[in-house]
Amino acid sequence: AKDYELRQYEAAKWVSTVIRGESQKEALRQGFWKLFQYIQGKNEKEMKIDMTVPVTCLVRSGCTDFKISFFVPFEHQDSPPVPSDSEVFIEERKAAAVFVRSFGGFASPEKYTEEAEALARILRNRGQSFHEEFFYTAGYDSPFKLFNRHNEVWYFKK
């Protein structure tokens, strides 16, 4: 469709952390730095790992816990180094069909919510079945990239 796409993602490992009781913006900041320390060597192998995109944030309706995640690079998918920080963990996400809406600019939590609401409206209008109780934000750019930024919101298909 012109205003969203349906993607099929294979099962994959992500390194994640949950930040509780903060605003989404603050949770993203804190979570990003925890995960960045992991890829900079704060893991059992003291191994540096390449930064990947997207950086995702799980947003649950009415909840102030946010799960921030980095995709584990393909060369480490089989055995990612174990995190040294007890609040950082490796998770395996199952294969899934995901409805995706893309947008540009600097994405604030309010903009992500606005785009997620727009995607949910479109999906409902088209009779698509999806998990409405949560969505993921996905950011693809460094904060230093000023133009042609790429952001997404994801709903999982039922």
Side-chain angles (χ1 to χ4, degrees):
K2 70 175 174 31
D3 36 18
Y4 72 91
E5 56 187 295
L6 177 58
R7 293 185 194 151
Q8 181 63 44
Y9 283 109
E10 299 304 314
K13 292 189 178 89
W14 294 70
V15 59
S16 302
T17 188
V18 175
I19 305 295
R20 293 180 170 81
E22 297 288 351
S23 68
Q24 184 179 344
K25 185 174 185 172
E26 180 59 18
L28 261 169
R29 189 189 69 73
Q30 286 182 25
F32 179 91
W33 286 110
K34 277 185 177 294
L35 299 175
F36 188 75
Q37 288 173 330
Y38 168 80
I39 67 171
Q40 287 297 300
K42 195 171 179 183
N43 56 65
E44 69 173 3
K45 295 180 182 171
E46 296 183 352
M47 177 189 291
K48 283 195 174 204
I49 299 168
D50 289 338
M51 177 77 202
T52 60
V53 292
V55 175
T56 65
C57 177
L58 173 62
V59 179
R60 293 182 185 279
S61 182
C63 182
T64 59
D65 293 355
F66 298 96
K67 182 170 64 176
I68 318 302
S69 306
F70 288 2
F71 179 77
V72 173
F74 292 109
E75 62 267 24
H76 299 291
Q77 280 287 317
D78 289 339
S79 62
V82 174
S84 302
D85 183 336
S86 63
E87 295 179 0
V88 175
F89 56 95
I90 303 296
E91 68 169 315
E92 174 129 15
R93 293 189 191 167
K94 296 183 177 106
V98 180
F99 293 108
V100 179
R101 180 173 170 90
S102 300
F103 60 99
F106 280 90
S108 64
E110 295 77 20
K111 180 67 173 165
Y112 277 125
T113 298
E114 180 184 308
E115 294 292 337
E117 287 170 353
L119 177 56
R121 241 185 341 270
I122 292 163
L123 295 174
R124 279 188 220 104
N125 289 342
R126 300 213 175 129
Q128 295 286 0
S129 183
F130 63 101
H131 292 277
E132 297 191 42
E133 63 279 7
F134 68 91
F135 66 90
Y136 279 90
T137 68
Y140 286 81
D141 301 303
S142 144
F144 306 109
K145 182 175 181 182
L146 301 180
F147 303 104
N148 301 315
R149 296 178 62 79
H150 184 82
N151 313 289
E152 297 174 347
V153 289
W154 300 351
Y155 275 111
F156 282 60
K157 184 176 178 160
K158 278 190 177 172

